[in-house]
Amino acid sequence: MPVLQPIVTIAELLYKKGISDVVVSPGSRSAPLTLAVARHPHLRTRVMADERSACFVALGMALQSGRTVAVICTSGSAVYNQAPAVAEAFFGQTPLLLLTADRPHEWLHQQDGQTINQVGIFGTHVKRSYDLPADYSHPDAHWFIERTLNEAITLSQLSPAGPVHINVPVREPFYPAADESFMYGPVRIIDVCAAQPTLAPETWHGLLQEWERSERTLIAVGQIPRDPALLAILRKLSEEIGIPIVGEIVGNIPQNDLFITRTDTFLAGIDERTAHSLRPDLLLTIGNSFLTRNLKTFLRQYPAHRHWHIQPAIDRINDSFQSLTTLIPAEPLAFLEKLFADVDYQRFLQGDDDDDTHEYLNLWRTVDRKAARLVEKMLLSEPETLTDWSAVQVVLEHLPENSLLHLANSMPVRYANLCGVSERQQISVSANRGVSGIDGCLSTAVGAALMTDQLVTVLIGDVAFFYDRNALWSAPIPPNLRIILLNNDSGHIFRIIDGPSRQPELETYFETPHGYTARNTAQDAKLTYTVCDSLDVLRSLLPDFFHPGNTAKLLELTTDKLANQNQFMAYKAQIASLHNTTA
Amino acid sequence: MPVLQPIVTIAELLYKKGISDVVVSPGSRSAPLTLAVARHPHLRTRVMADERSACFVALGMALQSGRTVAVICTSGSAVYNQAPAVAEAFFGQTPLLLLTADRPHEWLHQQDGQTINQVGIFGTHVKRSYDLPADYSHPDAHWFIERTLNEAITLSQLSPAGPVHINVPVREPFYPAADESFMYGPVRIIDVCAAQPTLAPETWHGLLQEWERSERTLIAVGQIPRDPALLAILRKLSEEIGIPIVGEIVGNIPQNDLFITRTDTFLAGIDERTAHSLRPDLLLTIGNSFLTRNLKTFLRQYPAHRHWHIQPAIDRINDSFQSLTTLIPAEPLAFLEKLFADVDYQRFLQGDDDDDTHEYLNLWRTVDRKAARLVEKMLLSEPETLTDWSAVQVVLEHLPENSLLHLANSMPVRYANLCGVSERQQISVSANRGVSGIDGCLSTAVGAALMTDQLVTVLIGDVAFFYDRNALWSAPIPPNLRIILLNNDSGHIFRIIDGPSRQPELETYFETPHGYTARNTAQDAKLTYTVCDSLDVLRSLLPDFFHPGNTAKLLELTTDKLANQNQFMAYKAQIASLHNTTA
């Protein structure tokens, strides 16, 4: 048996526990792990040199597939380069398995290279951190390694999913002899049965009573992957029972005749009378974080009397609107379907299923439609100028049906939320909203594109793009990737938000203009590159841009920061008068 | 008083405690810190968008100046992007002050953006981690902040120097009103007196006796900044007392007629007889880590009977040769000067200061000279081919006197150590040997160049260069920077070292060729760019390349990975026979 057989066994354990994909960054200490997964007949491995990008790519792969992706890196600061993606995976509840090669612990603080304190290095940003033994002579070591891999992979997938860290100290020699072949089995697999949280009948009954008592019930949907069944039950709840459904682009709530998606516009500077009329008795939330600050502020300033949050497993008390009364362990879809069925039956028994006026819903729909008209009018007022916002609007309209959209942080995700996508397009939207950093958005999109044949479009600003351009280095870029870069030569958000735009330090200390275009980056990465600075040209380019092809494509949209600012300021001035004109 | 006066006070505390330079990455949560340092009349601030590069730039600035550099970043994964540089600063003993803006703690796990667990986030890789209060209403909060800044800055500089973390939760509003001006004083400064560790006379006497008893005493110098006084006393110890001085390029031990610098060559595959003849009775070490694996292996396999390590302050027991007997708290220069004086006086009293044959020294010098001839012959054997090694040799020969050299990790630092620099050139050599990562070498060199008018040359391989190319983005690049890029289109070290070069996975999983040249990166960063693939042309280019100018310059040397490998393998074959021919 090879000295490092337990390392070879790890690869087989990954496979047998359902992991199919591994992202590897090169290194010598990690070589046994790398070779073990590379030679495994069923694992797909991809290699990327920059560990920061590599780990965000793995995150994108896990987001897209819903399955745990393993990441291998060598010892030392390599590990710390993964930390930004690990934090995003933790707060974004994305399953990763981090296998970090290490020196045996006795070498820590002995001035050896690439040796840092890797035990528990990710702190509270992993669900658990393990440390494997460096010596395998005692049979319990093998038992420990097998058991740990079983537990770690299971744990990464248990709700809330997230990253799990296994530190792997490795002794030399790292490389097998020429005549040594790897043996991949058998391994011990410990099955962990799946179970759904089920509420006791009396608990359910109590909840139903509370629901019935509420005259104004609001459902708000945080970030959640696209699910047609979930959209269907939300539509029923709104259409048939008159519940307003408030959602955002990152919650995969599309624009249609029913859903309330323009909260960012109509809740800005809302007058007290309207706010009180919209205030719910009962607020029911599903999904993770909300993007829209104005929605969060509204729900904190005009809190619901009762707030239920439904999530599959209870871990912490997340009280982001400061009004939570009830945390309900349930799958949102199953919960809402049962709720609808029971409420609908109750209404049938009472014979009151037809005479609802849906007053509360109509209040929300009225302000939402008004906001829609305002945004539309504003975008039409300067139909010729390519601004970040108008570009996003046009791009979203042209997205191919059934494609994927990854929204980079800072302004793109906000503009996209102001615009929305139509229900017809059936777009699956993702964004790194666990921590909301700009650091790995491009890599995440690359990872998502690697796991699907569908087209993946990433909408990204220039700072996020150049920050993370190593996403495009040292790995094959999937041909179904479409990058749309909004290049206004600055961290544009600082010119849009109130505080920094008033400071004399705005440009030097916040926007940090760089003068870069993406032409060279695209050339180095062998992307099909187009640059555009006109809205008309953009419209004419997009059909071809979204056409499938053999290489990934980058479309750089050059916008002017002052034009962007003027448009946004004009919008702000108009929303300030939105509710006045109501009165 | 502005609400955020304590934040403004932090800037004044930095200045009054001797910090002159701050590196800032843009953000909104960190805006009060940013504005406080930007508006301070005496602090120099530099802005970089990528926190990973920013923190390595700060590291380079601190390395070059020997003073604490402050780093400001916003909340969330921004902080984690600094972690690779923090680890390097910790193990490389470089003083940094990390000021990380944070949300008030009650918002952790409440699904707010850019909110992670920042308290103690760098684990054991900072000397200490503080967490400031978010509320300033109680006067003790001000006392706490002032005291903490005093302690943290002092601590970063106390030997061993290193990074210190202060987490700074900030409440809104982040931005001052238009009419609000910042008040920078007065602040409380707590002076901490400096003191030198002093050995008791009986301790010193005991050490002297041990020294006298040793017939074969060896001094080995680990990584340490260049110090002419230290070189002078080492020369005296060798010349007058016959002590072999073993050192490396990163220890700033130059090549001259005395110092032993070719250990990597002559200790490789050393025969047992020669090894025993070189084995010291007493080994005395100063400085931090050693680069040369063959030296480390030799000193572990043929351990000294007594091993003294001299360092200014005792923190941990670093026993990297597994033979340490005595840890001596002393400044190396002062210790060696006193030692020489006492030993020399003793020899004068005994009248034996002339009749030393310096046999032990001569043994070391013989093998060192033989190694020098071997390397010379090998490089001369193919005088026309530009390889990584021959390029490094030519570059080092042409380095301007009194300039700085930063050696990137992986192969450049190893090749440079094989070549060495001459004493005449008076080159100050630095390298990130705390953790020895490739992740921030370019940024570190940029930082060093920002703090001096001397020329700073960085010698770097292609993987390290592209990995860290954000060093050249979003900040002015100092005109005294010279980048020499060895582009062999791969992680070349894997082809050089034994294990991976034998694996079928070598190219795909270890070398990871990318096909990039630096032309586009140089153009984007507005560097003067030259590419070269011939040794003759290189020789003719270098004088002009090193000439001072208005822009930084990048010289890309295109080498062939097979030629590099062949040369290195030929070298290895020759050193294997080095000691046989002695016999």
Side-chain angles (χ1 to χ4, degrees), chain A residues 493-516:
Chain A
I493 192 169
F494 295 111
R495 190 172 284 266
I496 296 291
I497 59 178
D498 246 4
S501 58
R502 284 183 281 105
Q503 310 301 323
E505 291 86 357
L506 169 65
E507 195 165 304
T508 312
Y509 286 92
F510 294 93
E511 289 192 318
T512 57
H514 44 73
Y516 274 44

Side-chain angles (χ1 to χ4, degrees), chain B residues 83-162:
Chain B
V86 171
E88 174 59 33
F90 182 75
F91 288 100
Q93 303 183 359
T94 311
L96 292 180
L97 184 72
L98 306 149
L99 294 161
T100 59
D102 196 1
R103 266 185 167 60
H105 299 330
E106 65 267 20
W107 285 98
L108 186 59
H109 293 295
Q110 300 307 303
Q111 297 187 331
D112 247 25
Q114 303 189 336
T115 308
I116 68 175
N117 187 1
Q118 295 179 200
V119 178
I121 191 167
F122 298 117
T124 58
H125 300 112
V126 284
K127 293 184 70 178
R128 203 163 293 160
S129 189
Y130 302 88
D131 185 44
L132 298 188
D135 295 294
Y136 312 130
S137 52
H138 197 284
D140 283 0
H142 297 251
W143 168 59
F144 177 49
I145 292 171
E146 285 195 321
R147 195 194 70 207
T148 299
L149 264 290
N150 271 280
E151 181 173 294
I153 297 169
T154 299
L155 186 61
S156 72
Q157 292 156 353
L158 285 180
S159 182

